[in-house]
Amino acid sequence: MKILVTGGAGFIGVNFVYYMLEKYADYDIVCLDALTYAGNLKSLDGAMDNPKFTFVKGSISDKDFVDKLFEKEKFDIVVNFAAESHVDRSIENPFIFLETNIMGTACLLEASKKYGVSRYHQVSTDEVYGDLPLDRPDLFFTEETPIHTSSPYSSSKASADLLCLAFNRTYGLPVTISRCSNNYGPYQFPEKLIPLMIVRAQENQSLPVYGEGLNVRDWLYVEDHCKAIDMIIHNGRVGEVYNVGGHNEKQNIEVVRTLLKALGKSESLITYVKDRAGHDLRYAIDPTKISTELGWLPETKFEDGMERTIRWYLDNKQWTDDIKSGEYAEYSRRVYGD
Ligand code: NAD
Ligand code: TYD
């Protein structure tokens, strides 16, 4: 079995690469990544010497390059993680999101069709459903919830999902899609809420909480997401969408307070800043379909996942120190002013 993992130098992709290499010693894993600001080859250090692992640098939007790679490697399965993934950056400049997330997906779908892969899996997001009101805790996203996007990021991911379904319906490409809630864990780029707050708190920098910090996200430990994708690519039904989430809703301010407590830092670091434009209020997944059809259940409790995550960032300070130079420093100054 040969699997193409795109975006495998990013947060979830790298966790998936390690998960698959460990679980399936006989699978060949090829990682295709453009190494954008969010991709980090150092994160893959632990895989580079594995004879079953190959890294290829390139863009999923480079149609000829993707075609040649598929022709050479004859993949059985494609799992597409590669994306521009940060909502705030999509608000600053949507165009690279359209290029990578939509055109890149189109290039992968086209090559998957041409070279007859047995499964194309699209890693999508619950953000394609838009948001839920804060005062209706009884409402959840199901696979039937209409697509109703808020940000350029979520719009580009929704467009990619629709393309995937079209390739299934029109060309019979064996496609599956997973729509997961917010992930946390090791190797997440420190522009996203949890690693951003850990890294800034360690430096005693202000912790920028958008609005009043009351927006709700449904947090899932990254390994549980990897398990879900593993189950879907092996046993999921072709043409289907699977929501992935663990009924673990938290207000942003709760998450930040939990982190400060664990790090032994003062809540005086919290700074309420201008709200994100179009800020989605609440995400909450109903995972009934994947649980009943495939037996998936989240295994990591939030307290344990957070402890593991914080420990990882404390033990891997060099990883974040390396990131904090260059583009990240510039982004950080632009967005947070320091
Ligand atoms: P990330 O930003 O950490 O990593 C993205 C990776 O894609 C990077 O390694 C980057 O170099 C690579 N990449 C970007 N453009 C590329 C291109 N043109 N060609 C090849 N590689 C390219 O993202 P992540 O958080 O790991 O998310 C992975 C996927 O999961 C994304 O598709 C995202 O939409 C989805 N997702 C993320 C979350 C989350 O909480 N992080 C939740 C649900 C779904
Ligand atoms: P983020 O990690 O960017 O994920 P997403 O927007 O895709 O859910 O943000 C998670 C939540 O945290 C979201 O409601 C926005 C909020 N947030 C802050 O309050 N401050 C910040 O600096 C960031 C990056 C996010």
Side-chain angles (χ1 to χ4, degrees):
M1 186 72 79
K2 189 181 272 194
I3 305 189
L4 173 66
V5 177
T6 69
F11 164 47
I12 309 176
V14 80
N15 279 284
F16 186 72
V17 165
Y18 287 128
Y19 178 85
M20 295 300 279
L21 287 173
E22 167 90 19
K23 181 157 178 200
Y24 302 100
D26 55 334
Y27 282 18
D28 289 294
I29 307 282
V30 177
C31 167
L32 169 64
D33 198 296
L35 298 181
T36 67
Y37 80 91
N40 189 341
L41 212 43
K42 285 210 183 79
S43 305
L44 286 166
D45 269 356
M48 286 300 183
D49 290 339
N50 188 325
K52 304 301 277 181
F53 178 77
T54 311
F55 179 81
V56 180
K57 182 168 187 265
S59 172
I60 58 165
S61 340
D62 184 340
K63 190 166 176 290
D64 293 339
F65 174 82
V66 167
D67 183 278
K68 286 197 184 72
L69 184 69
F70 273 66
E71 185 180 28
K72 174 169 169 250
E73 297 285 356
K74 312 219 167 4
F75 300 116
D76 299 295
I77 299 178
V78 175
V79 184
N80 181 26
F81 291 93
E84 289 293 334
S85 69
H86 192 39
V87 173
D88 293 324
R89 288 185 190 251
S90 82
I91 294 169
E92 273 196 348
N93 179 7
F95 289 95
I96 184 66
F97 285 73
L98 311 186
E99 175 68 24
T100 299
N101 299 0
I102 306 176
M103 293 309 291
T105 298
C107 293
L108 292 172
L109 288 167
E110 185 62 24
S112 297
K113 169 166 80 80
K114 183 169 169 190
Y115 295 100
V117 303
S118 60
R119 178 64 63 91
Y120 175 94
H121 182 74
Q122 178 75 0
V123 181
S124 186
T125 164
D126 60 355
E127 300 192 27
V128 302
Y129 299 122
D131 62 354
L132 296 164
L134 290 176
D135 60 355
R136 289 292 307 273
D138 55 315
L139 297 180
F140 297 92
F141 296 138
T142 72
E143 290 79 1
E144 275 69 50
T145 302
I147 299 285
H148 188 82
T149 56
S150 312
S151 69
Y153 162 68
S154 55
S155 306
S156 67
K157 293 294 291 184
S159 306
D161 283 13
L162 296 178
L163 263 182
C164 291
L165 295 173
F167 267 68
N168 172 247
R169 166 98 185 230
T170 305
Y171 307 114
L173 186 70
V175 163
T176 42
I177 297 174
S178 51
R179 294 183 181 148
C180 190
S181 59
N182 287 62
N183 285 212
Y184 68 100
Y187 301 106
Q188 188 167 28
F189 193 84
E191 65 188 351
K192 306 281 166 56
L193 182 74
I194 289 180
L196 179 88
M197 298 299 172
I198 297 175
V199 167
R200 288 181 71 93
Q202 275 176 274
E203 308 276 327
N204 296 311
Q205 289 179 313
S206 64
L207 306 188
V209 172
Y210 298 162
E212 295 176 57
L214 301 181
N215 302 58
V216 170
R217 297 294 183 263
D218 182 359
W219 294 97
L220 185 74
Y221 191 64
V222 63
E223 197 176 75
D224 281 323
H225 187 187
C226 295
K227 280 182 193 155
I229 295 171
D230 176 20
M231 286 177 170
I232 297 168
I233 60 178
H234 287 102
N235 299 312
R237 285 184 295 135
V238 164
E240 294 293 319
V241 172
Y242 292 90
N243 284 356
V244 184
H247 284 302
N248 183 43
E249 291 174 51
K250 307 271 175 218
Q251 288 179 331
N252 292 337
I253 192 65
E254 268 183 272
V255 173
V256 174
R257 289 206 175 107
T258 304
L259 286 169
L260 283 171
K261 195 160 175 232
L263 291 163
K265 298 282 183 180
S266 161
E267 288 196 8
S268 64
L269 290 176
I270 295 173
T271 311
Y272 293 94
V273 299
K274 185 167 171 284
D275 209 352
R276 171 187 282 171
H279 198 171
D280 279 337
L281 294 171
R282 171 175 169 250
Y283 302 144
I285 286 274
D286 174 355
T288 305
K289 181 174 175 180
I290 188 166
S291 301
T292 50
E293 273 191 27
L294 304 179
W296 177 87
L297 284 173
E299 288 168 27
T300 306
K301 286 205 293 249
F302 188 62
E303 299 68 41
D304 299 339
M306 284 293 262
E307 199 184 310
R308 278 154 77 177
T309 304
I310 293 169
R311 170 73 20 230
W312 188 87
Y313 280 93
L314 297 181
D315 290 347
N316 291 275
K317 203 164 167 308
Q318 192 58 48
W319 186 87
T320 36
D321 283 349
D322 289 347
I323 285 172
K324 280 193 295 188
S325 58
E327 197 272 351
Y328 181 79
E330 208 263 313
Y331 172 80
S332 208
R333 262 194 302 277
R334 199 166 68 241
V335 177
Y336 301 116
D338 52 5

